[in-house]
Amino acid sequence: TSNLSSPYVDAPRRLSIDLEEKLHAIAKRHGGEVPLHGRLFAQWMHFAFPLECPFPHVAGNASVMSAKHWRSKTQDFRVKPEDKARFIQEGRANAQLLAADPLALEWNEEEVLPLQEPQRRGIISGVVRTLAQLSMILMLIRVGMVGLQFAKSTSPEKGTSAFVV
């Protein structure tokens, strides 16, 4: 990627050692290969090409809440002056950290792969799933048997024609 240019940066470009280490860590996490459709690689691309690649937020991480939702949770949803001062102080500390190392503040290790197998559920859900599949199979067998019985009862006798001319 150091040989890739963009409308904003000419090639060759020098990637930071931290960014190269992040790419190696992604590969190590996935057995030596970097999944190109994973969230971690998209995040790495965002840091390598910040103006071209959007930051891949973790799905379901940010929820939209209306004012009605907030009012139902608390009586007073205004920020107190001491909370404002604390947020400002934390913001200054984060800004200093961001200036020193932007990867340290914004990097998120959560991976999302689009074709990843879902995690195994508990024993109860497995039993319920198996019972549902068995009941579907039994239902199909029953429908097939009823269809065969119906076909036998309506079939013409030997030697007679099933068609009327």
Side-chain angles (χ1 to χ4, degrees):
T1 58
S2 62
N3 289 331
L4 294 176
S5 64
S6 72
Y8 305 102
V9 178
D10 292 329
R13 62 195 299 162
R14 178 72 181 129
L15 299 174
S16 70
I17 294 173
D18 291 339
L19 200 55
E20 290 179 9
E21 287 175 358
K22 291 290 186 186
L23 188 60
H24 289 292
I26 294 169
K28 184 177 179 184
R29 181 178 187 162
H30 294 286
E33 295 181 353
V34 176
L36 298 180
H37 298 288
R39 197 197 76 76
L40 284 177
F41 181 67
Q43 180 176 241
W44 186 88
M45 288 295 291
H46 168 73
F47 284 103
F49 300 96
L51 299 175
E52 292 88 353
C53 301
F55 185 83
H57 294 281
V58 178
N61 195 17
S63 61
V64 177
M65 291 187 239
S66 65
K68 183 178 178 182
H69 173 83
W70 282 103
R71 285 187 197 116
S72 66
K73 295 287 182 193
T74 64
Q75 294 298 322
D76 187 15
F77 53 89
R78 292 172 287 183
V79 179
K80 297 175 181 139
E82 57 269 11
D83 290 335
K84 285 181 187 179
R86 184 173 47 87
F87 292 143
I88 291 170
Q89 192 65 18
E90 288 174 3
R92 286 184 186 137
N94 287 342
Q96 290 171 353
L97 181 61
L98 182 59
D101 184 14
L103 284 178
L105 184 62
E106 296 183 32
W107 189 267
N108 183 341
E109 289 291 334
E110 188 167 345
E111 177 70 295
V112 177
L113 297 173
L115 301 175
Q116 186 176 15
E117 288 289 324
Q119 292 181 350
R120 292 282 181 190
R121 296 197 174 109
I123 294 173
I124 294 173
S125 65
V127 170
V128 169
R129 185 179 313 124
T130 303
L131 288 175
Q133 290 171 346
L134 284 174
S135 66
M136 294 292 283
I137 290 170
L138 291 174
M139 182 184 70
L140 287 172
I141 291 171
R142 175 73 176 137
V143 167
M145 291 178 69
V146 168
L148 282 175
Q149 289 175 351
F150 181 74
K152 285 182 181 179
S153 67
T154 59
S155 66
E157 297 295 325
K158 282 189 175 183
T160 62
S161 175
F163 301 104
V164 178
V165 182

